[in-house]
Amino acid sequence: MLRPFRTLHIVPSLPERLGPLYEIAHNVWWSWNRDAVDLFRRLDADLFDATRHNPVETLGRVPQERLDDLVDDEGFISHMDRVYAEMQDYMEGAPSLTGPESQDVIAYFSMEYGLTEAMPIYSGGLGVLSGDHLKTASDMRMPLVGIGMLYQEGYFRQYLNADGWQQETYPTNDFHNMPIQLERDEVGQPLTISVSYPGREVHAQIWCVQVGRVPLYMLDANIESNQPEDRQLTSKLYSGDRDMRIRQEILLGIGGMRALEALGIEPTVCHMNEGHSAFLGLERIRRAMQRHGLSFDEALVLTSAGTVFTTHTSVPAGIDLFAPHLIDRYLSDWMHTLGIDRERFLALGRPPNAPAEEPFSMAVLALSLSSRSNGVSELHGQVAREMWQGLWPGTPANEVPIGSITNGIHHRTWVSLDMDNLLLRYLGPRWQSNPSDTELWKRAERIPDEELWHAHERRRERLVSMARREMVNQLTRRGASQSQVAQAWDFLDPKALTIGFARRFATYKRALLLFHDLERLTRILNQADRPVQILFAGKAHPEDIPAKELIRSLIHAVRREDLRHRIVFLEDYDMALARYLVQGVDVWLNTPRHGQEASGTSGMKACMNGAIHLSTLDGWWHEAYSPEIGWRIGQGETYADDAYGDEVEAHLLYDLLEKDVVPLFYDRGNNTVPHGWVAMIKRSMASVGPRFNNQRMLQEYSDLLYVPSVKRYLRLAAEGGQAARELSQWLQRVREGWSQIHLANVESSAQDGATVRDEIEFTAHLALGPLSAEDVMVQVCLGTMGPTGQIMSYDTIAMEHQGQTEDGLVRYGVRGRFGRSGLSGYTVRVLPSHSDLATAHLPGLVLWA
């Protein structure tokens, strides 16, 4: 080992005529443009595969003689010019989004980004969603920038030992051979920022990944000016203890905001994708206090108006929690900087009236520092509202201010070339630029059954071929005998019904549900005239021992002679393997326990490629399912006894396979095409395609979160934050006076036997104490009674201010009707009211009759 006297970056010596290759390679746009991918594959297909489809590394390793020869290759030059012209047209294209103005930048923070397998800095669904978010923002020309971390070792590579136990390796990422570039200052030095930790400053340099039109800025702490322990901050994704995690999240949030400032970017709205980046709110507050002379409460009012939060967590165990002593160690200086005491600071990350040792929650902090938040499916929105109801005492769960925007996928990344060609032919080219157009997708019915089926068969054959190669490699690595390795070439059947199950291995996802009755499963898979096969893939977190046990149990189960040719586990699940799977399987299987999967997107990808979804009614499938487009396992039941629930749903799954799935697949006409199956494919594509794509998702983020947040933030920030000051003072006055409000009496003209047509008068008399009628809204809630004595389903009607009574009470009244017959009830409530509030549901400020 030699220590260098000096380091320098050597780049390929591209002939001048090949200069566009370098520019194309350094914009990840190539990853969702097949013509661009084919261009780099044309350089050297084997090398492109060996580099995990990395065009920058491919360019660096192609022999110079090959590059020189390409200058005279007219076919290659024509191909390159075509791709380069298409990229330039794309970069200059018009927006297809109704959203924020170009000067109102949205800063999107995420702990991980799955853009391409050439950049292994993602672990799974959250990262792939983040990558798809940026790609679609680029397609729609949204004024958005990404902020993340650049991990030297990224997420682990997976392999299994001879016993089936997951092993991890952490190859070092060579940033200089990836499609990223260092940001530099005016004298050419790497642009850096610093963040304070106890007794030291930690520095990070900034790299940029150009994702089409969207820049993604990534922080790298592995630089010589940092101490060895701090250089590890950007070593691995989701690794290390709580001390390492809090230091990483301080760097992401606070350091990310400082990176934007160093780059001259002033975001109007910051979007926290999960709670990992929630510390960014502290830096925004500090900056607002310094810039506008605001108090902490005033700055919080202002900055929260321009901050939105997306939660992806359905269970408390998925939330980052830090013990109070870690907050004291790393953030005590922030308490002084922000001018608040320890109790107030800890309250930002804890529920009301928390005990002294209650951990500090990053999700609670994110909710405290933002004014708009959402779950990632309709069902997850309900789960999140119930999960966080305690933060809004007295507010019914269905009115907790957490909305939902269902995830989608970046269709051009995930739809196969075969399917893309079919859709271009029968839907037209607008399907690529406007995948949310429902009318376009109805044209899927026009695709001839034979053409659609044969295209799908080709993709299944490619999947089986890839799986066989991978099994040979896997068995060779494990030290299997030559005869075992040779048998792998006969694994799977390119004509058989193929089921895919690929996702992060976690116990709630129940990867082994299919194995509940091994004999019954074996019979299903091994019918001579109707064979079925299953491909599994997925990683367990290195510290998740129960999940690793699941993988080992699966490997042991499939060693049976009657299963080993029908079930395979493909190691090291990544985006490249995911494309093969979602593009080639016939059925996508998903088996989470109800309410525990926030959304999921792999099934969306499979459906758009012509697979049919088979899943429990969780995540996105809860709102997508209909019997014409796929199958459901159960009806969304929850079970107090998990083992009993697993048994019930395993048998439901077997029934579906035996009675519905397998017979439909093998019901062939005279031309060997399963017309009933193909009809379901078409209905599935026509239903899933326009609803579960990222263009629809981004438009909803724009309409529901970004644009309202931009308008409210700019309104509160005008004139040095004057409106924020006034709103903060109003909030303080309302909070101080709220306890003095009481409802003196509530009356109505309602009588037993009233009909749904009868108009009923409701009145309420309030004592408002130090508050005025303009400070509150009064509502009557009326609806049907449930068996527990609660109003279960209700309508809300605003009551009108009708002046004061002689004894100083304020009178409110309204006339309304009960919308349904049956045992009914009503009540009255008081909420705060101000034109600048994002929601009337403020923690602790609700008074019920």
Side-chain angles (χ1 to χ4, degrees), residues 519-592:
E519 299 308 318
R520 190 174 179 185
L521 174 63
T522 301
R523 291 195 298 272
I524 292 171
L525 300 186
N526 286 298
Q527 297 180 71
D529 57 338
R530 301 193 306 183
V532 180
Q533 57 200 15
I534 310 169
L535 284 80
F536 285 90
K539 297 178 178 180
H541 187 280
E543 298 170 15
D544 190 346
I545 302 303
K548 288 186 172 184
E549 291 284 3
L550 284 178
I551 295 176
R552 180 164 63 177
S553 297
L554 189 157
I555 297 301
H556 283 214
V558 303
R559 286 175 176 167
R560 288 176 44 143
E561 191 61 35
D562 51 4
L563 290 181
R564 59 200 310 264
H565 288 74
R566 293 285 178 225
I567 304 177
V568 300
F569 181 91
L570 300 173
E571 298 173 12
D572 203 28
Y573 185 45
D574 67 356
M575 290 180 70
L577 179 54
R579 282 195 298 273
Y580 272 106
L581 288 165
V582 299
Q583 293 173 7
V585 300
D586 300 296
V587 174
W588 193 260
L589 178 64
N590 190 33
T591 55

Side-chain angles (χ1 to χ4, degrees), residues 87-125:
M87 187 178 81
Q88 289 178 311
D89 289 344
Y90 174 88
M91 296 297 288
E92 298 167 1
S96 57
L97 169 82
T98 303
E101 299 295 330
S102 59
Q103 72 273 14
D104 297 319
V105 174
I106 313 299
Y108 181 88
F109 285 71
S110 184
M111 196 77 168
E112 54 173 301
Y113 290 89
L115 296 165
T116 161
E117 59 272 20
M119 298 184 64
I121 53 173
Y122 60 94
S123 70

Side-chain angles (χ1 to χ4, degrees), residues 24 29 33 35-36 39 79-87:
I24 298 167
W29 168 85
N33 184 286
D35 206 18
L39 175 68
H79 190 172
M80 179 190 71
D81 289 344
R82 181 177 69 246
V83 170
Y84 188 54
E86 186 176 352
M87 187 178 81

Side-chain angles (χ1 to χ4, degrees), residues 792-846:
M792 298 299 292
S793 177
Y794 58 89
D795 298 315
T796 300
I797 305 173
M799 303 182 77
E800 298 175 358
H801 177 218
Q802 296 178 341
Q804 279 191 305
T805 63
E806 293 181 357
D807 54 358
L809 297 177
V810 182
R811 176 186 172 92
Y812 287 81
V814 72
R815 300 179 70 86
R817 295 182 175 89
F818 284 90
R820 290 166 291 278
S821 60
L823 185 62
S824 302
Y826 71 90
T827 188
V828 170
R829 70 181 178 192
V830 185
L831 296 168
S833 177
H834 191 286
S835 61
D836 280 331
L837 287 178
T839 173
H841 295 286
L842 302 180
L845 298 186
V846 57

Side-chain angles (χ1 to χ4, degrees), residues 34 38 411-427 431-432 447-448 450-463 579-580 582-584 608-610 685:
R34 292 186 181 85
D38 288 343
H411 56 290
R412 297 196 67 177
T413 293
W414 295 104
V415 172
S416 72
L417 177 60
D418 298 276
M419 184 58 70
D420 186 33
N421 287 337
L422 279 177
L423 295 176
L424 284 171
R425 190 176 306 134
Y426 293 101
L427 272 64
W431 101 266
Q432 290 185 337
I447 305 175
E450 292 78 6
E451 198 170 345
L452 178 56
W453 181 243
H454 293 320
H456 183 69
E457 284 192 310
R458 286 195 299 273
R459 297 200 308 275
R460 190 192 317 115
E461 289 168 0
R462 284 199 293 270
L463 170 62
R579 282 195 298 273
Y580 272 106
V582 299
Q583 293 173 7
M608 284 200 198
N609 278 289
M685 291 171 60

Side-chain angles (χ1 to χ4, degrees), residues 29-70:
W29 168 85
W30 59 259
S31 69
W32 69 91
N33 184 286
R34 292 186 181 85
D35 206 18
V37 171
D38 288 343
L39 175 68
F40 290 109
R41 187 175 293 281
R42 193 167 176 170
L43 284 171
D44 186 324
D46 292 338
L47 180 58
F48 190 64
D49 288 340
T51 63
R52 300 181 76 178
H53 309 142
N54 182 344
V56 175
E57 185 176 359
T58 299
L59 280 176
R61 291 173 57 182
V62 169
Q64 191 65 47
E65 297 78 12
R66 170 67 174 152
L67 295 175
D68 293 338
D69 289 344
L70 287 171

